[in-house]
Amino acid sequence: MHVILMGPQGSGKGTQAERLLPRLGLVSIATGELFRNAARLGTPLGLRAKSLMDRGELVPDDVTIGLVEEKLDALGVLRSRDPAVLGALYDGFPRTEAQARALDDALGRRSERVDSVVLIDVPRERLVERLAGRRVCANGGHVYHTVFNPPKVEGVCDICGAPLVQRADDTPDAVRRRLETYFRTTEPLLAFYRGRGLLKTVDGDAPIDEVTEAIVRAVQPVPSGAGRVG
Ligand code: ADP
Ligand code: ADP
């Protein structure tokens, strides 16, 4: 199963991915997280990505697609060893039509396909307040909000005890640039997936747990025979 989470910065993709991965038996393919890890390790790819990320600009498609292909190869190995792994959950990818087409090709070569694309729909005016209060754990991955989803102890991750930090690109300027890029370049992808009957929309302006349940319902395959009378 391959499920894509779509929505602008601040819509809750990372927050929901954390909760959905164990529920759905999927592994995460979160390109922003992969680029941040590579930057932390100081790899050539990470250093190239970092200056773009800090400015709130997209990493070139070929670099991003290459990284996702590597993750798909690793997923293939993992699945051959662990039957509980059912597929991947994509957060922050694809963001351009070229990336969406490359993902189709990459999955097609593996006799797989995108099963669902879920748009987490949040009014635009909510996004900036969400991003201003976002805090992430220094190990990466776990997401909090100073008001909407605070940790039990201020400044400390509930799960791994690491300090909570603000992302380097959650400055007002970089946030504005990323949101502009989303609405210009990524939002048109919704039509691409809607046209194929894959797009499902959930209300993202609801409590976190309610959004999770709505996504689980949206991606569950309709049982055969559902909707038939008698
Ligand atoms: P956000 O969605 O808040 O911008 P992400 O963690 O998804 O945060 O991404 C952080 C940065 O990583 C982006 O601003 C961009 O520079 C880079 N990035 C992540 N995913 C992609 C992608 N699919 N294509 C190009 N660049 C990406
Ligand atoms: P994205 O990955 O789409 O950029 P995040 O998951 O990082 O979004 O969420 C952005 C911020 O909004 C975080 O601080 C998070 O705690 C908060 N948040 C996420 N979902 C909700 C929600 N349903 N209600 C209120 N705040 C939320």
Side-chain angles (χ1 to χ4, degrees), residues 7-10 13 30-33 35-36 49 52-54 56-61 64 91-96 99 131 134 167 169-170 178:
Q9 287 75 7
K13 299 180 300 297
T31 41
E33 201 56 48
F35 287 135
R36 275 190 293 280
L52 293 166
M53 291 168 75
D54 286 348
E57 291 174 24
L58 290 183
V59 176
D61 283 337
T64 307
D91 163 6
F93 179 88
R95 288 198 201 203
T96 63
Q99 292 181 12
L131 293 168
R134 169 156 70 182
R167 269 173 46 176
D169 59 352
D170 273 349
R178 271 147 59 219

Side-chain angles (χ1 to χ4, degrees), residues 124-170:
R124 207 164 164 165
E125 62 273 14
R126 282 259 185 283
L127 302 172
V128 173
E129 63 178 3
R130 283 197 183 183
L131 293 168
R134 169 156 70 182
R135 298 291 181 274
V136 296
C137 98
N139 288 337
H142 307 122
V143 188
Y144 298 86
H145 191 281
T146 48
V147 178
F148 305 138
N149 184 27
K152 293 195 182 81
V153 178
E154 199 186 321
V156 180
C157 179
D158 291 348
I159 298 161
C160 51
L164 298 183
V165 296
Q166 205 164 9
R167 269 173 46 176
D169 59 352
D170 273 349

